[in-house]
Coordinates of all heavy atoms in Angstrom, one line a residue:
M1 N -0.6 18.4 4.8 CA -1.3 17.2 4.8 C -0.6 16.0 4.2 O -0.1 16.2 3.1 CB -2.6 17.4 4.0 CG -3.5 16.2 4.0 SD -5.0 16.6 3.2 CE -4.7 16.4 1.5
S2 N -0.4 14.9 4.9 CA 0.3 13.8 4.3 C -0.6 12.5 4.5 O -1.2 12.3 5.5 CB 1.6 13.6 4.9 OG 1.5 13.2 6.2
I3 N -0.6 11.7 3.4 CA -1.3 10.5 3.4 C -0.2 9.5 3.1 O 0.4 9.5 2.1 CB -2.4 10.5 2.5 CG1 -3.5 11.5 2.8 CG2 -3.1 9.0 2.5 CD1 -4.6 11.6 1.8
H4 N -0.1 8.5 4.0 CA 1.0 7.4 3.8 C 0.2 6.1 3.8 O -0.5 5.8 4.7 CB 2.0 7.4 4.8 CG 2.7 8.7 5.0 ND1 3.6 9.2 4.1 CD2 2.6 9.7 5.9 CE1 4.1 10.3 4.5 NE2 3.4 10.7 5.5
A5 N 0.4 5.2 2.8 CA 0.0 3.9 2.8 C 0.9 3.1 3.8 O 2.1 3.2 3.6 CB 0.0 3.3 1.4
I6 N 0.4 2.3 4.7 CA 1.3 1.7 5.6 C 1.1 0.2 5.6 O 2.0 -0.5 6.0 CB 1.1 2.2 7.0 CG1 -0.3 2.0 7.6 CG2 1.4 3.6 7.2 CD1 -0.5 2.1 9.0
E7 N 0.1 -0.4 5.0 CA 0.0 -1.8 5.0 C -1.1 -2.3 4.0 O -2.1 -1.7 3.8 CB -0.6 -2.2 6.5 CG -0.7 -3.6 6.7 CD -1.3 -4.0 8.1 OE1 -1.6 -3.0 8.8 OE2 -1.3 -5.1 8.4
V8 N -0.8 -3.4 3.4 CA -1.8 -4.2 2.7 C -1.6 -5.5 3.2 O -0.5 -6.1 3.2 CB -1.4 -4.1 1.2 CG1 -2.4 -5.0 0.5 CG2 -1.5 -2.7 0.7
K9 N -2.7 -6.2 3.7 CA -2.6 -7.5 4.3 C -3.7 -8.4 3.6 O -4.9 -8.0 3.5 CB -2.9 -7.4 5.8 CG -2.8 -8.7 6.5 CD -3.0 -8.5 8.0 CE -4.4 -8.1 8.4 NZ -4.6 -8.0 9.8
K10 N -3.3 -9.5 3.1 CA -4.1 -10.5 2.5 C -5.0 -11.2 3.6 O -4.3 -11.7 4.5 CB -3.3 -11.5 1.7 CG -4.3 -12.4 0.8 CD -3.4 -13.1 -0.1 CE -4.4 -13.8 -1.1 NZ -3.7 -14.4 -2.2
L11 N -6.2 -11.1 3.4 CA -7.1 -11.7 4.4 C -7.5 -13.1 4.0 O -7.5 -14.1 4.7 CB -8.4 -11.0 4.7 CG -8.1 -9.5 5.3 CD1 -9.4 -8.8 5.4 CD2 -7.4 -9.6 6.6
S12 N -8.0 -13.2 2.7 CA -8.4 -14.6 2.2 C -8.5 -14.6 0.7 O -8.6 -13.4 0.2 CB -9.7 -15.1 2.9 OG -10.8 -14.3 2.4
S13 N -8.5 -15.7 0.1 CA -8.7 -15.8 -1.3 C -9.5 -17.1 -1.6 O -9.2 -18.2 -1.1 CB -7.4 -15.8 -2.0 OG -7.5 -16.0 -3.4
R14 N -10.5 -16.9 -2.4 CA -11.3 -18.1 -2.8 C -11.4 -18.2 -4.3 O -11.9 -17.3 -4.9 CB -12.8 -18.0 -2.3 CG -12.8 -18.0 -0.8 CD -14.2 -18.0 -0.3 NE -14.9 -16.8 -0.8 CZ -16.1 -16.5 -0.4 NH1 -16.7 -17.2 0.5 NH2 -16.6 -15.3 -0.8
T15 N -10.6 -19.1 -4.8 CA -10.5 -19.2 -6.3 C -11.7 -19.7 -7.0 O -12.0 -19.3 -8.2 CB -9.3 -20.1 -6.7 OG1 -9.5 -21.4 -6.2 CG2 -8.0 -19.5 -6.2
V16 N -12.6 -20.4 -6.3 CA -13.8 -21.0 -6.9 C -14.7 -19.7 -7.5 O -15.2 -19.8 -8.6 CB -14.6 -21.8 -6.0 CG1 -15.9 -22.2 -6.6 CG2 -13.7 -23.0 -5.6
E17 N -14.9 -18.7 -6.6 CA -15.7 -17.6 -7.0 C -14.9 -16.5 -7.6 O -15.4 -15.3 -7.9 CB -16.5 -17.1 -5.8 CG -17.4 -18.1 -5.3 CD -18.1 -17.6 -4.0 OE1 -18.0 -16.4 -3.7 OE2 -18.8 -18.4 -3.4
K18 N -13.6 -16.6 -7.7 CA -12.7 -15.6 -8.2 C -12.8 -14.3 -7.3 O -12.9 -13.2 -7.8 CB -13.0 -15.2 -9.7 CG -12.7 -16.4 -10.6 CD -12.9 -15.9 -12.0 CE -12.7 -17.1 -13.0 NZ -13.0 -16.7 -14.4
E19 N -12.8 -14.5 -6.0 CA -12.9 -13.4 -5.1 C -11.7 -13.4 -4.2 O -11.2 -14.4 -3.7 CB -14.2 -13.6 -4.2 CG -14.3 -12.5 -3.2 CD -15.6 -12.8 -2.4 OE1 -16.5 -13.4 -2.8 OE2 -15.7 -12.1 -1.3
M20 N -11.2 -12.1 -4.0 CA -10.1 -11.9 -3.2 C -10.5 -10.9 -2.1 O -11.0 -9.9 -2.5 CB -8.9 -11.5 -3.9 CG -7.9 -12.5 -4.3 SD -6.5 -12.0 -5.3 CE -6.1 -10.3 -4.9
N21 N -10.1 -11.1 -0.8 CA -10.4 -10.1 0.2 C -9.1 -9.6 0.7 O -8.3 -10.5 1.1 CB -11.2 -10.8 1.3 CG -12.7 -11.1 0.8 OD1 -13.3 -10.2 0.3 ND2 -13.1 -12.2 1.1
E22 N -8.9 -8.4 0.7 CA -7.7 -7.8 1.3 C -8.0 -6.5 2.1 O -9.1 -6.0 2.1 CB -6.7 -7.4 0.1 CG -6.3 -8.7 -0.6 CD -5.0 -8.5 -1.5 OE1 -4.3 -7.4 -1.3 OE2 -4.9 -9.3 -2.4
E23 N -7.0 -6.0 2.7 CA -7.2 -4.9 3.6 C -6.1 -3.8 3.3 O -5.0 -4.2 3.1 CB -7.1 -5.3 5.1 CG -7.5 -4.2 6.1 CD -7.4 -4.9 7.5 OE1 -6.4 -4.9 8.0 OE2 -8.5 -5.3 7.9
I24 N -6.4 -2.6 3.3 CA -5.5 -1.6 3.1 C -5.6 -0.5 4.2 O -6.7 -0.2 4.7 CB -5.6 -0.9 1.8 CG1 -4.4 0.0 1.4 CG2 -6.9 -0.2 1.5 CD1 -4.3 0.3 0.0
S25 N -4.5 0.1 4.7 CA -4.5 1.1 5.7 C -3.7 2.3 5.3 O -2.7 2.2 4.6 CB -3.9 0.6 7.0 OG -4.6 -0.5 7.5
I26 N -4.2 3.4 5.6 CA -3.5 4.7 5.3 C -3.5 5.5 6.6 O -4.5 5.7 7.2 CB -4.3 5.5 4.2 CG1 -4.3 4.7 2.8 CG2 -3.7 6.9 4.0 CD1 -5.1 5.4 1.7
E27 N -2.3 6.1 6.8 CA -2.2 7.0 8.0 C -2.3 8.5 7.5 O -1.7 8.8 6.5 CB -0.8 6.8 8.6 CG -0.6 7.7 9.8 CD 0.8 7.6 10.5 OE1 1.4 6.6 10.1 OE2 1.1 8.5 11.3
H28 N -3.2 9.1 8.1 CA -3.4 10.6 7.8 C -3.5 11.4 9.1 O -4.3 11.1 9.9 CB -4.7 10.7 7.0 CG -5.1 12.1 6.8 ND1 -4.5 12.9 5.9 CD2 -6.2 12.9 7.2 CE1 -5.0 14.1 5.8 NE2 -6.1 14.1 6.6
E29 N -2.6 12.3 9.2 CA -2.5 13.2 10.4 C -2.5 12.4 11.7 O -3.2 12.7 12.7 CB -3.6 14.2 10.4 CG -3.5 15.2 9.2 CD -4.6 16.2 9.1 OE1 -5.6 16.1 10.0 OE2 -4.5 17.1 8.2
G30 N -1.7 11.3 11.7 CA -1.6 10.5 12.9 C -2.7 9.5 13.2 O -2.6 8.7 14.1
V31 N -3.7 9.4 12.3 CA -4.8 8.5 12.5 C -4.7 7.4 11.3 O -4.5 7.8 10.2 CB -6.2 9.2 12.4 CG1 -7.3 8.2 12.5 CG2 -6.3 10.2 13.5
V32 N -4.8 6.2 11.7 CA -4.7 5.1 10.7 C -6.2 4.8 10.3 O -7.0 4.5 11.2 CB -4.1 3.8 11.3 CG1 -4.1 2.7 10.2 CG2 -2.7 4.2 11.7
H33 N -6.5 4.9 9.0 CA -7.7 4.5 8.5 C -7.6 3.2 7.6 O -6.6 3.1 6.9 CB -8.2 5.6 7.5 CG -8.3 7.0 8.1 ND1 -9.5 7.4 8.8 CD2 -7.4 8.0 8.3 CE1 -9.3 8.6 9.3 NE2 -8.1 8.9 9.0
T34 N -8.5 2.3 7.8 CA -8.4 1.0 7.3 C -9.6 0.6 6.5 O -10.7 0.9 7.0 CB -8.2 -0.1 8.3 OG1 -6.9 0.2 9.0 CG2 -7.9 -1.5 7.7
A35 N -9.5 0.1 5.3 CA -10.7 -0.4 4.6 C -10.4 -1.8 4.0 O -9.2 -2.1 3.6 CB -11.0 0.5 3.4
A36 N -11.4 -2.7 4.0 CA -11.2 -4.0 3.4 C -11.7 -3.8 1.9 O -12.4 -2.9 1.6 CB -12.0 -5.0 4.1
Y37 N -11.2 -4.7 1.1 CA -11.7 -4.7 -0.3 C -11.7 -6.1 -0.8 O -11.0 -7.0 -0.4 CB -10.9 -3.7 -1.2 CG -9.5 -4.0 -1.4 CD1 -9.1 -4.8 -2.6 CD2 -8.5 -3.5 -0.6 CE1 -7.8 -5.1 -2.8 CE2 -7.1 -3.8 -0.8 CZ -6.8 -4.6 -2.0 OH -5.5 -4.8 -2.2
S38 N -12.6 -6.3 -1.8 CA -12.8 -7.7 -2.4 C -12.9 -7.4 -3.9 O -13.3 -6.3 -4.4 CB -14.0 -8.4 -1.9 OG -15.2 -7.8 -2.2
I39 N -12.5 -8.5 -4.6 CA -12.6 -8.4 -6.1 C -13.4 -9.6 -6.5 O -13.1 -10.8 -6.1 CB -11.2 -8.6 -6.7 CG1 -10.4 -7.4 -6.2 CG2 -11.3 -8.5 -8.2 CD1 -8.9 -7.7 -6.3
V40 N -14.5 -9.4 -7.2 CA -15.2 -10.5 -7.8 C -15.3 -10.2 -9.3 O -15.8 -9.3 -9.8 CB -16.7 -10.5 -7.2 CG1 -17.6 -11.6 -7.8 CG2 -16.7 -10.7 -5.7
D41 N -14.8 -11.2 -10.0 CA -14.6 -11.1 -11.4 C -13.8 -9.9 -11.7 O -12.6 -9.8 -11.2 CB -15.9 -11.1 -12.2 CG -16.7 -12.4 -12.1 OD1 -16.0 -13.4 -12.1 OD2 -17.9 -12.3 -12.0
D42 N -14.3 -8.8 -12.3 CA -13.4 -7.6 -12.5 C -13.9 -6.4 -11.7 O -13.6 -5.2 -12.0 CB -13.5 -7.3 -14.0 CG -12.3 -6.4 -14.4 OD1 -11.2 -6.4 -13.8 OD2 -12.5 -5.4 -15.3
V43 N -14.8 -6.7 -10.7 CA -15.4 -5.6 -9.9 C -14.7 -5.5 -8.5 O -14.7 -6.4 -7.8 CB -16.8 -5.7 -9.8 CG1 -17.5 -4.6 -8.9 CG2 -17.5 -5.7 -11.1
L44 N -14.2 -4.3 -8.2 CA -13.6 -4.0 -6.9 C -14.6 -3.4 -6.0 O -15.3 -2.5 -6.3 CB -12.5 -3.1 -7.0 CG -11.8 -2.5 -5.7 CD1 -11.0 -3.5 -5.1 CD2 -11.1 -1.2 -6.0
T45 N -14.8 -4.0 -4.7 CA -15.7 -3.4 -3.8 C -14.9 -3.0 -2.6 O -14.2 -3.9 -2.1 CB -16.8 -4.4 -3.4 OG1 -17.6 -4.8 -4.5 CG2 -17.7 -3.7 -2.3
V46 N -14.9 -1.8 -2.2 CA -14.1 -1.3 -1.1 C -15.1 -1.0 0.1 O -16.1 -0.4 -0.1 CB -13.4 0.1 -1.4 CG1 -12.6 0.6 -0.2 CG2 -12.5 -0.2 -2.6
Y47 N -14.8 -1.6 1.3 CA -15.6 -1.5 2.5 C -15.0 -0.4 3.3 O -14.0 -0.7 4.0 CB -15.7 -2.8 3.2 CG -16.2 -4.0 2.3 CD1 -15.4 -4.6 1.5 CD2 -17.6 -4.1 2.1 CE1 -15.8 -5.7 0.7 CE2 -18.1 -5.1 1.2 CZ -17.2 -5.9 0.5 OH -17.7 -6.8 -0.4
L48 N -15.6 0.8 3.3 CA -15.0 2.0 4.0 C -15.2 1.9 5.4 O -16.1 1.2 6.0 CB -15.6 3.2 3.3 CG -15.2 3.3 1.8 CD1 -16.1 4.3 1.1 CD2 -13.7 3.6 1.6
P49 N -14.5 2.7 6.2 CA -14.6 2.7 7.7 C -15.9 3.0 8.2 O -16.2 2.5 9.4 CB -13.5 3.8 8.1 CG -12.5 3.8 7.0 CD -13.4 3.5 5.7
D50 N -16.7 3.7 7.5 CA -18.1 4.1 8.1 C -19.1 3.1 7.7 O -20.3 3.2 8.0 CB -18.5 5.5 7.6 CG -18.8 5.5 6.0 OD1 -18.5 4.5 5.3 OD2 -19.2 6.6 5.6
G51 N -18.7 1.9 7.1 CA -19.6 0.9 6.7 C -20.2 1.0 5.3 O -20.8 0.0 4.8
S52 N -19.9 2.0 4.6 CA -20.4 2.2 3.3 C -19.4 1.4 2.3 O -18.4 1.0 2.7 CB -20.5 3.7 2.8 OG -19.2 4.2 2.9
T53 N -19.9 1.3 1.1 CA -19.1 0.5 0.1 C -19.0 1.5 -1.1 O -19.8 2.3 -1.4 CB -19.7 -0.7 -0.4 OG1 -21.0 -0.6 -0.9 CG2 -19.8 -1.8 0.8
S54 N -17.9 1.1 -1.9 CA -17.6 1.8 -3.1 C -17.2 0.8 -4.1 O -16.3 0.0 -3.8 CB -16.6 3.0 -2.9 OG -16.5 3.7 -4.0
D55 N -17.8 0.8 -5.3 CA -17.4 -0.2 -6.3 C -16.8 0.4 -7.6 O -17.0 1.6 -7.9 CB -18.7 -0.9 -6.9 CG -19.4 -1.7 -5.8 OD1 -18.7 -2.3 -4.9 OD2 -20.6 -1.7 -5.8
T56 N -15.9 -0.3 -8.2 CA -15.2 0.1 -9.4 C -15.0 -1.1 -10.3 O -14.6 -2.1 -9.8 CB -13.8 0.7 -9.1 OG1 -13.9 1.9 -8.2 CG2 -13.1 1.1 -10.4
E57 N -15.3 -0.9 -11.6 CA -14.9 -2.0 -12.5 C -13.4 -1.8 -12.8 O -13.0 -0.6 -13.2 CB -15.7 -1.9 -13.8 CG -15.5 -3.1 -14.6 CD -16.6 -3.1 -15.8 OE1 -17.6 -2.6 -15.6 OE2 -16.2 -3.7 -16.8
L58 N -12.5 -2.7 -12.6 CA -11.1 -2.6 -12.7 C -10.6 -2.3 -14.1 O -9.8 -1.4 -14.3 CB -10.4 -3.7 -12.1 CG -10.5 -3.8 -10.6 CD1 -10.0 -5.1 -10.1 CD2 -9.9 -2.7 -9.9
R59 N -11.0 -3.1 -15.1 CA -10.6 -2.8 -16.5 C -9.1 -2.6 -16.6 O -8.7 -1.6 -17.2 CB -11.3 -1.7 -17.2 CG -12.8 -2.0 -17.2 CD -13.5 -0.9 -18.0 NE -15.0 -1.1 -18.0 CZ -15.8 -0.5 -18.8 NH1 -15.3 0.4 -19.5 NH2 -17.1 -0.8 -18.8
G60 N -8.3 -3.4 -16.0 CA -6.9 -3.4 -16.1 C -6.2 -2.5 -15.0 O -5.0 -2.6 -14.8
L61 N -7.0 -1.9 -14.1 CA -6.4 -1.2 -13.0 C -5.9 -2.1 -11.9 O -6.4 -3.2 -11.8 CB -7.4 -0.2 -12.3 CG -8.0 0.9 -13.1 CD1 -9.1 1.7 -12.3 CD2 -6.9 2.0 -13.4
K62 N -4.8 -1.8 -11.2 CA -4.4 -2.6 -10.1 C -5.3 -2.4 -9.0 O -5.6 -1.4 -8.6 CB -3.0 -2.1 -9.7 CG -1.9 -2.5 -10.8 CD -0.5 -2.1 -10.4 CE 0.5 -2.3 -11.5 NZ 1.8 -2.0 -11.1
P63 N -5.8 -3.5 -8.4 CA -6.8 -3.5 -7.3 C -6.3 -2.7 -6.1 O -7.1 -1.9 -5.6 CB -7.0 -4.9 -6.9 CG -6.6 -5.7 -8.1 CD -5.5 -4.9 -8.7
E64 N -5.1 -2.8 -5.7 CA -4.5 -2.1 -4.5 C -4.6 -0.6 -4.8 O -4.9 0.2 -3.9 CB -3.1 -2.6 -4.2 CG -2.6 -1.9 -3.0 CD -1.2 -2.3 -2.7 OE1 -0.8 -3.4 -3.1 OE2 -0.4 -1.5 -2.1
S65 N -4.2 -0.2 -5.9 CA -4.2 1.3 -6.3 C -5.5 1.8 -6.3 O -5.8 2.9 -5.8 CB -3.5 1.5 -7.6 OG -2.1 1.1 -7.6
A66 N -6.5 1.1 -6.9 CA -7.8 1.5 -6.9 C -8.5 1.6 -5.5 O -9.2 2.6 -5.2 CB -8.7 0.6 -7.8
A67 N -8.2 0.6 -4.7 CA -8.8 0.6 -3.3 C -8.2 1.8 -2.5 O -8.9 2.5 -1.8 CB -8.5 -0.7 -2.6
R68 N -6.8 2.1 -2.7 CA -6.2 3.2 -2.0 C -6.8 4.5 -2.4 O -7.1 5.4 -1.5 CB -4.7 3.1 -2.3 CG -4.0 4.2 -1.6 CD -2.5 4.1 -1.8 NE -2.0 3.0 -1.0 CZ -1.3 2.0 -1.6 NH1 -1.1 2.0 -2.9 NH2 -0.8 1.1 -0.9
A69 N -7.2 4.6 -3.7 CA -7.8 5.9 -4.2 C -9.2 6.1 -3.5 O -9.5 7.2 -3.1 CB -8.0 5.8 -5.7
H70 N -10.0 5.0 -3.4 CA -11.2 5.1 -2.7 C -11.1 5.5 -1.2 O -11.8 6.3 -0.7 CB -12.0 3.8 -2.8 CG -12.6 3.5 -4.1 ND1 -13.9 4.1 -4.5 CD2 -12.1 2.8 -5.1 CE1 -14.1 3.6 -5.7 NE2 -13.2 2.9 -6.1
L71 N -10.1 4.9 -0.6 CA -9.9 5.2 0.8 C -9.4 6.6 1.0 O -9.8 7.3 1.9 CB -8.9 4.2 1.5 CG -8.6 4.4 3.0 CD1 -9.9 4.3 3.8 CD2 -7.7 3.2 3.5
R72 N -8.5 7.1 0.1 CA -8.1 8.5 0.2 C -9.2 9.5 0.0 O -9.2 10.4 0.7 CB -7.0 8.7 -0.9 CG -5.6 8.4 -0.6 CD -4.6 8.9 -1.6 NE -3.4 8.1 -1.6 CZ -3.0 7.5 -2.7 NH1 -3.4 7.6 -3.9 NH2 -1.9 6.8 -2.6
A73 N -10.1 9.1 -1.0 CA -11.2 10.0 -1.2 C -12.1 10.0 0.1 O -12.6 11.2 0.5 CB -12.0 9.6 -2.4
Y74 N -12.3 8.9 0.7 CA -13.1 8.9 1.9 C -12.5 9.7 3.0 O -13.1 10.5 3.7 CB -13.1 7.4 2.4 CG -13.7 7.2 3.8 CD1 -15.1 7.3 4.0 CD2 -12.8 7.2 4.9 CE1 -15.6 7.1 5.3 CE2 -13.4 7.1 6.2 CZ -14.7 7.0 6.4 OH -15.2 7.0 7.7
I75 N -11.1 9.6 3.2 CA -10.3 10.3 4.2 C -10.5 11.8 4.0 O -10.8 12.6 4.9 CB -8.9 10.0 4.3 CG1 -8.8 8.5 4.8 CG2 -8.1 10.9 5.1 CD1 -7.4 7.9 4.6
K76 N -10.3 12.3 2.7 CA -10.4 13.7 2.4 C -11.8 14.2 2.6 O -12.0 15.4 3.1 CB -10.0 13.9 0.9 CG -8.6 13.8 0.7 CD -8.2 14.1 -0.7 CE -6.7 13.9 -0.9 NZ -6.2 14.2 -2.3
K77 N -12.9 13.4 2.4 CA -14.2 13.9 2.6 C -14.6 13.9 4.1 O -15.4 14.7 4.5 CB -15.2 12.8 1.9 CG -16.6 13.2 2.0 CD -17.5 12.2 1.2 CE -19.0 12.4 1.4 NZ -19.7 11.4 0.8
N78 N -14.0 13.1 4.9 CA -14.4 12.9 6.3 C -13.5 13.4 7.3 O -13.6 13.2 8.5 CB -14.7 11.4 6.5 CG -16.0 11.0 5.8 OD1 -17.0 11.3 6.1 ND2 -15.7 10.2 4.6
T79 N -12.4 14.0 6.9 CA -11.5 14.7 7.9 C -11.3 16.1 7.7 O -11.7 16.7 6.7 CB -10.1 13.9 7.9 OG1 -9.5 14.1 6.6 CG2 -10.2 12.5 8.3

């Protein structure tokens, strides 16, 4: 089993609300799984492929790494 991060793409950023929207993709067994994520203040919200969301208070964590962990957990649970 191999999971490879293949892309992080910035979608938009709004500094007024301190919100950033980005997208991350992971390839697993030949299938690319993609999730968008946003950050408001210090809370990361990951929008998973099935439409569900997962939130994490960052407290110093790197947003991309935390989002990738949520997407990996989703992949492991759903494949």
Side-chain angles (χ1 to χ4, degrees):
M1 179 173 81
S2 65
I3 296 176
H4 302 287
I6 62 169
E7 179 182 8
V8 175
K9 181 173 70 174
K10 188 168 189 171
L11 299 176
S12 67
S13 178
R14 295 185 300 192
T15 56
V16 174
E17 296 177 8
K18 296 183 183 176
E19 180 178 339
M20 262 175 31
N21 294 308
E22 297 193 19
E23 188 175 86
I24 190 161
S25 295
I26 296 175
E27 181 180 349
H28 175 68
E29 296 180 356
V31 177
V32 177
H33 302 270
T34 302
Y37 63 94
S38 65
I39 304 158
V40 178
D41 295 324
D42 197 36
V43 178
L44 170 79
T45 300
V46 181
Y47 304 92
L48 298 165
D50 66 356
S52 65
T53 61
S54 186
D55 297 320
T56 297
E57 190 169 334
L58 291 171
R59 296 184 182 193
L61 294 173
K62 293 181 180 179
E64 182 183 332
S65 296
R68 184 176 287 119
H70 283 279
L71 184 54
R72 276 194 204 121
Y74 169 85
I75 293 167
K76 287 181 181 179
K77 181 179 175 184
N78 292 287
T79 58

